[in-house]
Each structure stands twice: as structure tokens, then as C-alpha cells.
Amino acid sequence: MNAVMEQNITVRECLQNGIRFLKASGVPEARISAEYLLAYLLKQPRVFLYVESSAQLGPELQDEYQRLLDRRARRVPVQYLVGTVPFRNTTLHVGPGCLIPRPETEILADVVLRTLGPEPIRVLDVGTGSGNIAVSLAVERPAWHVVATDVSRSALRYAEQNAIENGVENRVRFVHTDLWAHVQTDAFDGFISNPPYLNERELAALEPEVSFEPEEALWGSSDGLYFYRKMISGVREVLRPGGTVFLEVGFDQADPVSDLLRTGGFQRISAVRDYAGVKRVVSAQLKEVSRG
Ligand code: GLN
């Protein structure tokens, strides 16, 4: 038993200990992790750590904090440790078994919302993971109906819970399937996906945190483009003529994906950049079929 842990210490001291420990363990952005974990334990927002920095913390809480810090030092993502992540207007449950939603994906949702407007429509989210896209679209567009698929049952469990907790379970239907097999609807107005898009080299070079996330949510074949080829060549099965596809892409994939769309019968192909200036979201409209 560590003698230091037997007495009360202040929030400030506890946080400083946590930061020091994570820094010494080589965790990047140690302060942010240390703050999130302590705030989570105290069931308080992070700002509490600073406005109530003289509050006293007992040994039990310090022990619990140390257990979380130990896992963080082994590079478990902080979002898995606290169990939630903010995404647009929602708070989502996440854990091992579903990809942690990334800030770039908020831009994908934003492009969808700006392009399609508030009228009642039906959209399909393929590879929904935690349900981040499907749930936030349903929250922000009360007239929309969303169908969301995933091949992973464990991801869908998070997604279903997230839909319920955000009050949109009546407008989001989840289907456990590969891509859109078994979806049984062929006239969606919008098709959205943030598919796995990393190639082998990128997958090998990731931060240790990512190894805790499901590989099936990340790996897009040797060139990273597998799912784009598959989706763009087959999307007519579910998207109505004149409907729009919205795809998140890897840092160097906007051009090849735009080419696939052009040769696949799409028009009005455009790309939106992320916070780092990378072309991150590609959208395009499926041409109306001309008969004759
Ligand atoms: N749709 C989820 C997201 O955008 C999951 C994506 C995935 O697993 N590739 O985060």
C-alpha cells in the first residue's frame, strides 16, 4: 500500500499527479487525458477541476483514478475509458467494438444536412458504427427517416442505444447486414458512408490507441479504396436517380473517389475540406436515367 495514497489530497494535486504519470508513460497530450479521466470519475465537467481545485479527494477515489491512468498509459483510448464521446449535438456511447467517431465525420454530417434540407426524405447510412451519423442526422432533421446498417453486431448495439438515448429510435431503423443487403428499399434520397479506408501501410503506422478499435472499421484493402469501388458500382440498387451520395474519404482519396463517381454515372461531384485543409467529404448526384 502506497502511503501517499492514504490521505486526502486536493483536486489540483490529484490532477497534477495524473498529468505527471501520463507524461512519464509517454502518453501524448497527457493533460487532456488526465483531465477527462478525473472529471469522469468525479461526474463533473472538466472546468470543475479548475474552479474547485481545492476540493479534497479521498484515497479510494485516488486509487480508482490510478487504475484509469494505468489503462490510459497502456494507450487505451480515453473515449473507451470514459465510455462516451460528443458528436455534433449528441453524446454517444462508445466502447471496444465500435469505431470512435472522429471530428472530421461531423463535417460529413454537416454537408449532408446543408445539401438535403429539412423536407421529409429517406437516407441510408452504410457502416453506421456507433450510429454517430444516423443519430445526429435524425436529431437535426426531425422529418427524415434514416436506415443504418453495419456488419458488426457489437457496433449496432451501441448504435441502437445511442438512438434511444437521443430520442430518435422511431426514425432510425438499424439493419445488421453487409453494406445494404437486406435493406429492401431502393429509393433513398441520400446515401452516406464513412467506410473503412486505410490501406495496409497506413494501418501499420497508426497510433497505439487505434489498435484498440475494430480493424474491420478501418481496413479498406491494399489501396484503401475497396469499399468506394463496391459502393459506387452498386449504389443504384438503393439510391434513386437524382439522389446524392456523401462519402468521407482518406487524405489522398478525394481524386480517385471522384473519378470513380464520374465514370459511375454521377454528376455535380464536389469535395469539402476538413479542419486541416484535406479534401475529406466527396458528394455527387446520381444522374437521372435518360431513356430512348
Ligand atoms: N459511421 C461510423 C463513423 O463514421 C463508423 C465508420 C466505420 O466504422 N468505418 O464513425
Side-chain angles (χ1 to χ4, degrees):
M1 189 55 108
N2 184 339
V4 180
M5 304 280 261
E6 310 234 324
Q7 18 177 299
N8 287 354
I9 60 174
T10 64
V11 166
R12 186 190 305 108
E13 289 164 328
C14 190
L15 179 61
Q16 290 310 325
N17 291 345
I19 296 169
R20 213 174 308 115
F21 175 81
L22 290 182
K23 272 195 183 145
S25 312
V27 174
E29 305 195 61
R31 171 179 291 274
I32 297 184
S33 284
E35 286 179 357
Y36 269 109
L37 295 176
L38 187 54
Y40 159 75
L41 270 187
L42 298 173
K43 300 187 175 61
Q44 297 287 346
R46 272 194 300 160
V47 64
F48 174 91
L49 307 176
Y50 296 97
V51 293
E52 294 292 339
S53 60
S54 311
Q56 298 284 312
L57 302 178
E60 251 173 52
L61 202 126
Q62 295 170 52
D63 284 349
E64 251 183 277
Y65 188 41
Q66 188 57 49
R67 280 195 291 276
L68 284 173
L69 292 168
D70 287 339
R71 293 174 69 197
R72 185 68 193 103
R74 291 197 294 275
R75 304 301 287 272
V76 177
V78 73
Q79 296 90 338
Y80 285 169
L81 294 174
V82 305
T84 59
V85 65
F87 186 83
R88 294 186 64 89
N89 297 340
T90 64
T91 299
L92 303 171
H93 289 278
V94 292
C98 76
L99 192 81
I100 299 165
R102 305 295 201 269
E104 297 86 77
T105 309
E106 296 184 327
I107 300 174
L108 170 61
D110 192 64
V111 175
V112 177
L113 290 164
R114 280 191 288 113
T115 308
L116 296 181
E119 301 76 29
I121 56 169
R122 290 184 308 153
V123 299
L124 176 63
D125 171 28
V126 169
T128 196
S130 64
N132 53 333
I133 299 170
V135 170
S136 63
L137 293 180
V139 166
E140 293 182 61
R141 288 282 185 257
W144 289 13
H145 278 87
V146 185
V147 176
T149 71
D150 208 290
V151 73
S152 157
R153 269 193 201 284
S154 64
L156 283 177
R157 275 195 282 274
Y158 289 100
E160 280 164 2
Q161 184 188 3
N162 287 326
I164 291 168
E165 292 200 1
N166 286 281
V168 294
E169 71 276 18
N170 295 333
R171 286 184 297 109
V172 184
R173 182 162 66 87
F174 293 102
V175 185
H176 175 233
T177 191
D178 192 18
L179 298 179
W180 53 80
H182 309 117
V183 164
Q184 294 171 339
T185 312
D186 60 1
F188 286 94
D189 303 285
F191 175 100
I192 302 127
S193 188
N194 173 25
Y197 55 64
L198 299 180
N199 64 34
E200 249 131 49
R201 194 170 21 83
E202 290 163 336
L203 206 58
L206 294 170
E207 292 292 321
E209 280 78 1
V210 186
S211 67
F212 291 89
E213 296 185 90
E215 190 175 289
E216 64 181 343
L218 296 162
W219 188 76
S221 82
S222 53
D223 69 354
L225 295 170
Y226 173 82
F227 287 100
Y228 301 108
R229 285 195 204 93
K230 214 164 163 160
M231 292 196 286
I232 293 168
S233 64
V235 71
R236 282 182 168 71
E237 294 167 17
V238 279
L239 186 67
R240 70 165 173 80
T244 311
V245 295
F246 302 88
L247 302 170
E248 182 173 323
V249 297
F251 78 99
D252 57 354
Q253 292 171 334
D255 290 341
V257 169
S258 299
D259 288 343
L260 288 170
L261 287 163
R262 204 166 292 117
T263 52
F266 284 81
Q267 61 187 4
R268 298 196 194 151
I269 299 159
S270 72
V272 171
R273 291 177 195 271
D274 66 14
Y275 311 107
V278 171
K279 287 183 186 168
R280 187 58 75 180
V281 176
V282 176
S283 65
Q285 192 187 28
L286 184 58
K287 289 181 186 163
E288 310 273 350
V289 230
S290 56
R291 292 166 197 272

